[in-house]
Amino acid sequence: ILTGGVIISVFCVPLDGWSYIGYLAFAYLMFSITFTMNDISYWGMLPSLTSDEHERNKLTSCAQLFASAGIGLSGLLIPLFTTGTFAKWGAPTGYRIIAILCSVMMILFQLFTIIGVKEKPLAPIKEDKSDKLTLKKMFKVIAKNDQLLWCVLIMMIFSVGTGVVGGGLLTMYLYFEFGYEGGYTILFGVGYGVISTLFTVAYPWLSKKFGRNKILYSTAIATIVGYGLIFLVALILPTGAPQSAAWYTKFALMAIAYAIAGYGGGFYMIMVINMANTVEYNEWKYGQRNESLIFSLRPFTAKMSSALTQGLVIVVYAIASITTYTDSISSIENEASRNLITNAEKMSKISEVIAEVSLQDRRILVSCMCLIPMIFLAIAMVVYKKKCPLTEERLAEMIKETEERKLALAGDGENATETAVEEHASDVSVDSPVSEVESVEEVACDKTENE
């Protein structure tokens, strides 16, 4: 509810200029807090639902499938109704309406989890201040779990490397190369969406047949190949006049290459599973699971990588002089939203701005759009290969060892309880009051706790 309120306020406050920028900074901070509160709680349930590797794969795949569907639909439909001929209201009004709809839908869909997932009641435990998880202990738990830290680093490398594409570079390139139409983003991204969806559905089977590591490497390679092909097509083939044979050929080939990169989107989902596996690793090594604490790093990587991504996008915009053109387009969109110009006039003016974009700027834009994810994915693969040995087989061994250790400790506890009962029972007569006899187990339990 808080997150929805923040999102709606961003697009509905009647502010402009620096006052709006100041409010936007405040709203983004509040969004980071409210969204992270929700995100940690949601994904923190994953390790608690099952420790079985195959079941965890299916659960993560299912959750990621619906998450990807939401991301894909928003990425395709929002540009359609805010950019080009279908944006009847103009971008500012279009975003305001979409913000309200998305916030309401987010709250309604969240009810599935709130109503449908039942938590096991926690057993009452005696408060032990020495075992309280302080901030200092939190950092120690995180710092000691080396596999968790490597997973976080790899997820951040992947998110930053591929995030620049969806963070503005791809959209701007499509507008500058093919025209200012939101519908082009749908046509260009439909193959990506289909392939990534099929991968998500098939992942449990793929993982069971080929192993998680092989699938992870294949996703990284697909990303590198996909963006490599986009890069070559963009530089080699001419675009031609709008809707000409050359225009359609270039657009189709780049869309197919982008669909190949869609298979690589599964890299992040597999890393989420790897992060979930570090819960068992932490329990095996230190005797504590700390699910929520460990999964708090997932939204941390999302927010940190988002900030780094936007910083990188701004650098690319500055190098390719993109902001010069986007500022002009924004001014024209604002004029249209105030009914100062018609929609036809708006499109004509924006077309004139896009015609001014130089070939060099477009090439810089597409080069950064393709080379950044290729380089980052190559680095992520190397780091994973060298630093993440937690395979399915090793994880199963750890879980088995942990369960055996628990059984052994439970057996020792039962023996200690029986011994304490026998020692105390020898001091209690047959004619003792019931209350005194019942206290035998209490004393035995206290003695066991002390031991």
Side-chain angles (χ1 to χ4, degrees):
I1 292 171
L2 290 173
T3 304
V6 171
I7 293 172
I8 292 172
S9 71
V10 167
F11 295 96
C12 294
V13 292
L15 298 174
D16 200 2
W18 284 106
S19 60
Y20 179 75
I21 291 174
Y23 179 77
L24 185 61
F26 169 74
Y28 188 74
L29 173 63
M30 295 307 300
F31 172 82
S32 299
I33 294 171
T34 58
F35 178 79
T36 302
M37 287 164 57
N38 185 282
D39 206 35
I40 292 174
S41 303
Y42 181 82
W43 287 101
M45 290 187 292
L46 178 61
S48 303
L49 294 174
T50 180
S51 292
D52 181 80
E53 176 77 7
H54 187 59
E55 289 297 318
R56 183 171 290 175
N57 288 343
K58 289 196 292 185
L59 284 171
T60 308
S61 177
C62 184
Q64 191 65 39
L65 175 64
F66 284 91
S68 298
I71 293 169
L73 286 172
S74 63
L76 296 176
L77 295 179
I78 290 175
L80 179 65
F81 294 109
T82 57
T83 307
T85 54
F86 287 96
K88 300 300 183 183
W89 311 299
T93 305
Y95 274 105
R96 190 175 298 121
I97 294 171
I98 290 170
I100 295 171
L101 289 175
C102 287
S103 297
V104 172
M105 289 173 64
M106 177 183 64
I107 295 169
L108 293 176
F109 275 103
Q110 193 87 86
L111 291 175
F112 282 101
T113 299
I114 295 172
I115 296 173
V117 177
K118 303 299 181 184
E119 292 184 282
K120 294 179 181 178
L122 295 174
I125 56 174
K126 191 181 291 184
E127 186 177 354
D128 185 1
K129 292 184 178 180
S130 64
D131 196 40
K132 190 176 180 181
L133 192 61
T134 62
L135 189 63
K136 184 178 179 181
K137 287 184 178 180
M138 288 181 187
F139 280 109
K140 282 186 176 180
V141 169
I142 293 171
K144 289 191 297 184
N145 194 327
D146 59 302
Q147 289 301 293
L148 172 63
L149 293 177
W150 287 119
C151 283
V152 168
L153 178 61
I154 293 167
M155 290 172 72
M156 196 171 298
I157 292 172
F158 172 84
S159 298
V160 174
T162 57
V164 295
V165 181
L169 300 190
L170 176 61
T171 303
M172 286 299 104
Y173 178 74
L174 290 178
Y175 291 164
F176 294 164
E177 192 72 28
F178 298 104
Y180 189 72
E181 281 290 347
Y184 294 159
T185 61
I186 294 180
L187 295 175
F188 195 85
V190 66
Y192 184 101
V194 170
I195 296 298
S196 60
T197 300
L198 290 175
F199 173 85
T200 304
V201 172
Y203 175 72
W205 176 82
L206 291 171
S207 177
K208 194 172 184 180
K209 185 172 181 63
F210 300 105
R212 181 170 14 99
N213 282 359
K214 289 182 179 178
I215 302 301
L216 183 76
Y217 293 136
S218 70
T219 59
I221 292 170
T223 302
I224 294 171
V225 171
Y227 287 114
L229 290 173
I230 292 175
F231 181 63
L232 292 175
V233 172
L235 295 185
I236 294 173
L237 295 183
T239 305
Q243 281 76 52
S244 64
W247 188 96
Y248 281 114
T249 301
K250 186 171 184 176
F251 188 93
L253 290 176
M254 293 181 73
I256 292 171
Y258 190 54
I260 295 173
Y263 178 87
F267 187 99
Y268 186 84
M269 183 185 73
I270 299 174
M271 289 309 304
V272 170
I273 296 172
N274 282 332
M275 179 177 279
N277 293 341
T278 65
V279 171
E280 276 78 29
Y281 174 78
N282 199 73
E283 185 180 24
W284 170 79
K285 198 167 186 178
Y286 303 110
Q288 294 179 320
R289 290 178 65 82
N290 300 120
E291 292 104 329
S292 294
L293 176 58
I294 287 173
F295 257 81
S296 68
L297 291 187
R298 198 206 70 82
F300 167 78
T301 60
K303 303 309 291 183
M304 178 62 79
S305 61
S306 175
L308 294 173
T309 296
Q310 290 306 314
L312 198 53
V313 168
I314 290 171
V315 171
V316 175
Y317 275 20
I319 294 173
S321 304
I322 301 302
T323 50
T324 303
Y325 310 113
T326 55
D327 287 348
S328 299
I329 293 173
S330 295
S331 298
I332 296 169
E333 285 282 9
N334 285 327
E335 287 181 20
S337 68
R338 298 187 184 102
N339 295 320
L340 299 177
I341 57 175
T342 64
N343 191 57
E345 291 174 326
K346 179 190 77 172
M347 293 302 297
S348 177
K349 286 186 174 184
I350 291 176
S351 296
E352 292 175 4
V353 173
I354 291 176
E356 296 174 1
V357 181
S358 67
L359 177 62
Q360 181 182 357
D361 288 340
R362 294 203 305 271
R363 285 184 171 178
I364 291 174
L365 182 59
V366 76
S367 297
C368 294
M369 184 185 85
C370 296
L371 293 178
I372 290 174
M374 291 170 67
I375 294 170
F376 276 51
L377 261 294
I379 294 172
M381 269 202 304
V382 172
V383 175
Y384 183 84
K385 184 173 180 62
K386 289 183 176 293
K387 299 296 183 180
C388 295
L390 199 59
T391 61
E392 292 99 328
E393 295 77 13
R394 183 65 188 121
L395 180 66
E397 291 174 4
M398 288 180 179
I399 294 174
K400 184 179 179 181
E401 290 173 17
T402 302
E403 292 302 318
E404 290 174 352
R405 191 186 307 156
K406 286 180 181 178
L407 291 173
L409 289 173
D412 292 341
E414 289 177 2
N415 294 334
T417 302
E418 290 174 2
T419 303
V421 170
E422 290 172 0
E423 290 176 356
H424 190 75
S426 62
D427 298 329
V428 180
S429 65
V430 177
D431 299 326
S432 299
V434 175
S435 59
E436 187 177 354
V437 175
E438 287 176 345
S439 69
V440 171
E441 186 176 353
E442 295 175 5
V443 173
C445 289
D446 289 339
K447 186 174 181 181
T448 304
E449 285 182 3
N450 293 332
E451 290 175 353

